[in-house]
Coordinates of all heavy atoms in Angstrom, one line a residue:
R342 N -22.3 5.5 -12.4 CA -21.3 4.5 -12.2 C -19.9 5.1 -12.6 O -19.8 5.7 -13.7 CB -21.6 3.3 -13.0 CG -20.6 2.2 -12.9 CD -21.1 1.0 -13.7 NE -20.1 -0.1 -13.6 CZ -20.3 -1.3 -13.9 NH1 -21.4 -1.7 -14.4 NH2 -19.3 -2.2 -13.8
V343 N -18.9 4.7 -11.9 CA -17.5 5.2 -12.2 C -16.9 4.1 -13.1 O -16.9 2.9 -12.8 CB -16.7 5.3 -10.9 CG1 -15.2 5.6 -11.3 CG2 -17.2 6.3 -10.0
E344 N -16.4 4.6 -14.3 CA -15.8 3.7 -15.2 C -14.3 3.8 -15.1 O -13.7 4.9 -14.9 CB -16.2 4.1 -16.7 CG -17.7 4.0 -17.0 CD -18.2 2.5 -17.0 OE1 -17.4 1.6 -17.3 OE2 -19.3 2.3 -16.6
A345 N -13.6 2.6 -15.1 CA -12.2 2.6 -15.0 C -11.5 3.1 -16.2 O -12.0 2.8 -17.3 CB -11.7 1.1 -14.7
Q346 N -10.5 3.9 -16.0 CA -9.8 4.4 -17.2 C -8.3 4.0 -17.0 O -7.7 4.2 -16.0 CB -9.8 6.0 -17.2 CG -11.2 6.5 -17.4 CD -11.2 8.0 -17.4 OE1 -10.2 8.7 -17.2 NE2 -12.4 8.6 -17.7
F347 N -7.8 3.3 -18.0 CA -6.4 2.9 -18.0 C -5.6 3.7 -18.9 O -6.0 4.0 -20.0 CB -6.4 1.4 -18.5 CG -7.1 0.5 -17.5 CD1 -8.4 0.1 -17.8 CD2 -6.5 0.0 -16.4 CE1 -9.1 -0.7 -17.0 CE2 -7.2 -0.9 -15.5 CZ -8.5 -1.2 -15.8
I348 N -4.5 4.1 -18.4 CA -3.5 4.9 -19.2 C -2.2 4.2 -19.3 O -1.8 3.4 -18.4 CB -3.3 6.3 -18.7 CG1 -2.8 6.3 -17.2 CG2 -4.6 7.1 -18.7 CD1 -2.3 7.6 -16.7
K349 N -1.5 4.4 -20.4 CA -0.2 3.8 -20.5 C 0.8 4.7 -19.9 O 0.9 5.9 -20.1 CB 0.1 3.6 -22.0 CG 1.4 2.9 -22.2 CD 1.6 2.5 -23.7 CE 2.9 1.7 -23.8 NZ 3.1 1.1 -25.0
I350 N 1.6 4.1 -18.9 CA 2.6 4.9 -18.2 C 3.9 4.9 -19.1 O 4.4 3.9 -19.6 CB 2.9 4.3 -16.9 CG1 1.7 4.3 -16.0 CG2 4.1 5.0 -16.2 CD1 1.8 3.6 -14.7
P351 N 4.5 6.1 -19.4 CA 5.6 6.2 -20.2 C 6.8 5.4 -19.7 O 7.0 5.3 -18.5 CB 6.0 7.7 -20.2 CG 4.7 8.4 -19.8 CD 4.0 7.4 -18.9
R352 N 7.6 4.8 -20.6 CA 8.7 4.0 -20.2 C 9.8 4.8 -19.4 O 10.5 4.4 -18.5 CB 9.4 3.3 -21.4 CG 10.3 2.3 -21.1 CD 9.6 1.0 -20.6 NE 10.5 0.3 -19.7 CZ 10.0 -0.5 -18.8 NH1 8.8 -0.7 -18.6 NH2 10.9 -1.2 -18.0
D353 N 9.8 6.1 -19.7 CA 10.8 7.0 -19.1 C 10.5 7.1 -17.6 O 11.4 7.2 -16.7 CB 10.7 8.4 -19.6 CG 11.2 8.5 -21.1 OD1 11.9 7.6 -21.5 OD2 11.0 9.5 -21.7
F354 N 9.2 7.0 -17.2 CA 8.8 7.0 -15.8 C 9.4 5.8 -15.1 O 9.9 6.0 -14.0 CB 7.3 7.1 -15.7 CG 6.8 7.1 -14.2 CD1 6.7 8.3 -13.6 CD2 6.5 5.9 -13.5 CE1 6.3 8.4 -12.3 CE2 6.1 6.0 -12.2 CZ 6.0 7.2 -11.6
Y355 N 9.3 4.7 -15.7 CA 9.8 3.5 -15.1 C 11.3 3.6 -14.9 O 11.9 3.2 -13.9 CB 9.5 2.2 -15.9 CG 8.1 1.8 -15.8 CD1 7.3 1.8 -16.9 CD2 7.6 1.3 -14.6 CE1 6.0 1.4 -16.8 CE2 6.3 0.8 -14.5 CZ 5.5 0.9 -15.6 OH 4.2 0.5 -15.5
E356 N 12.0 4.1 -15.9 CA 13.5 4.2 -15.8 C 13.9 5.2 -14.8 O 14.9 5.0 -14.1 CB 14.0 4.6 -17.2 CG 13.8 3.4 -18.2 CD 14.2 3.8 -19.6 OE1 14.7 4.9 -19.8 OE2 13.9 3.0 -20.5
L357 N 13.1 6.3 -14.7 CA 13.5 7.4 -13.7 C 13.2 6.9 -12.3 O 14.0 7.3 -11.4 CB 12.6 8.6 -14.0 CG 12.9 9.8 -13.2 CD1 14.4 10.3 -13.4 CD2 12.0 10.9 -13.5
H358 N 12.2 6.1 -12.1 CA 11.8 5.7 -10.7 C 12.0 4.2 -10.5 O 11.2 3.6 -9.7 CB 10.4 6.1 -10.4 CG 10.2 7.6 -10.5 ND1 10.7 8.5 -9.6 CD2 9.5 8.3 -11.4 CE1 10.3 9.7 -10.0 NE2 9.6 9.6 -11.1
R359 N 12.9 3.6 -11.2 CA 13.0 2.1 -11.1 C 13.4 1.6 -9.7 O 12.8 0.6 -9.2 CB 14.1 1.6 -12.1 CG 14.3 0.2 -12.1 CD 15.1 -0.3 -13.2 NE 15.1 -1.8 -13.2 CZ 16.2 -2.5 -13.1 NH1 17.4 -1.9 -13.0 NH2 16.1 -3.8 -13.0
F360 N 14.2 2.3 -9.0 CA 14.6 1.9 -7.7 C 13.7 2.7 -6.6 O 13.7 3.9 -6.6 CB 16.1 2.2 -7.4 CG 17.0 1.4 -8.3 CD1 17.6 2.1 -9.4 CD2 17.2 0.1 -8.1 CE1 18.4 1.3 -10.3 CE2 18.0 -0.6 -9.0 CZ 18.6 0.0 -10.1
V361 N 13.0 1.9 -5.8 CA 12.0 2.4 -5.0 C 12.4 2.4 -3.5 O 13.0 1.4 -3.0 CB 10.7 1.6 -5.2 CG1 9.6 2.1 -4.2 CG2 10.2 1.7 -6.6
T362 N 12.1 3.4 -2.8 CA 12.3 3.5 -1.3 C 10.9 3.5 -0.7 O 10.0 4.3 -1.1 CB 13.0 4.7 -0.9 OG1 14.4 4.7 -1.4 CG2 13.2 4.8 0.6
L363 N 10.6 2.6 0.2 CA 9.3 2.5 0.9 C 9.4 2.9 2.3 O 10.4 2.7 3.0 CB 8.8 1.0 0.9 CG 8.6 0.4 -0.5 CD1 8.1 -1.1 -0.3 CD2 7.5 1.1 -1.3
A364 N 8.3 3.4 2.8 CA 8.1 3.6 4.3 C 7.0 2.7 4.7 O 6.0 2.6 4.0 CB 7.7 5.1 4.5
A365 N 7.2 1.9 5.8 CA 6.2 0.9 6.2 C 5.9 1.1 7.7 O 6.8 1.5 8.5 CB 6.8 -0.5 6.0
D366 N 4.7 0.8 8.0 CA 4.2 0.9 9.4 C 3.0 0.1 9.6 O 2.3 -0.3 8.6 CB 4.0 2.4 9.8 CG 4.0 2.6 11.3 OD1 4.3 1.6 12.0 OD2 3.8 3.7 11.7
V367 N 2.7 -0.2 10.8 CA 1.4 -0.9 11.2 C 0.4 0.1 11.6 O 0.7 1.0 12.5 CB 1.6 -2.0 12.2 CG1 0.3 -2.6 12.6 CG2 2.6 -3.1 11.7
M368 N -0.8 0.1 11.1 CA -1.8 1.0 11.4 C -3.0 0.2 12.0 O -3.3 -0.9 11.5 CB -2.3 1.8 10.2 CG -3.5 2.6 10.3 SD -4.0 3.4 8.8 CE -4.6 2.1 7.8
F369 N -3.6 0.7 13.0 CA -4.8 0.0 13.6 C -6.1 0.8 13.3 O -6.1 2.0 13.5 CB -4.6 -0.2 15.1 CG -3.5 -1.2 15.5 CD1 -2.2 -0.7 15.6 CD2 -3.8 -2.5 15.7 CE1 -1.2 -1.6 15.9 CE2 -2.8 -3.4 16.0 CZ -1.5 -2.9 16.2
V370 N -7.1 0.0 12.8 CA -8.4 0.6 12.6 C -9.4 -0.2 13.4 O -9.6 -1.4 13.1 CB -8.8 0.6 11.1 CG1 -10.2 1.2 10.8 CG2 -7.7 1.4 10.2
N371 N -10.0 0.4 14.4 CA -10.9 -0.3 15.3 C -10.2 -1.5 15.8 O -10.9 -2.6 16.0 CB -12.2 -0.6 14.6 CG -13.0 0.6 14.2 OD1 -12.9 1.6 14.9 ND2 -13.8 0.5 13.2
G372 N -8.9 -1.4 16.2 CA -8.2 -2.5 16.8 C -7.7 -3.6 15.8 O -7.1 -4.6 16.2
I373 N -8.0 -3.4 14.5 CA -7.6 -4.4 13.5 C -6.3 -3.9 12.8 O -6.3 -2.8 12.3 CB -8.7 -4.5 12.4 CG1 -10.0 -5.0 13.1 CG2 -8.3 -5.5 11.3 CD1 -11.2 -5.0 12.2
P374 N -5.2 -4.7 12.8 CA -3.9 -4.3 12.3 C -3.9 -4.4 10.8 O -4.3 -5.3 10.2 CB -2.9 -5.2 13.0 CG -3.7 -6.5 13.2 CD -5.1 -6.0 13.5

Side-chain angles (χ1 to χ4, degrees):
R342 182 177 177 168
V343 176
E344 297 293 330
Q346 296 179 356
F347 297 96
I348 59 169
K349 187 172 181 168
I350 298 173
R352 194 73 208 154
D353 293 345
F354 181 85
Y355 286 115
E356 292 172 7
L357 183 62
H358 301 291
R359 181 166 186 240
F360 298 103
V361 177
T362 298
L363 298 178
D366 203 0
V367 175
M368 171 181 72
F369 291 87
V370 177
N371 294 332
I373 301 169

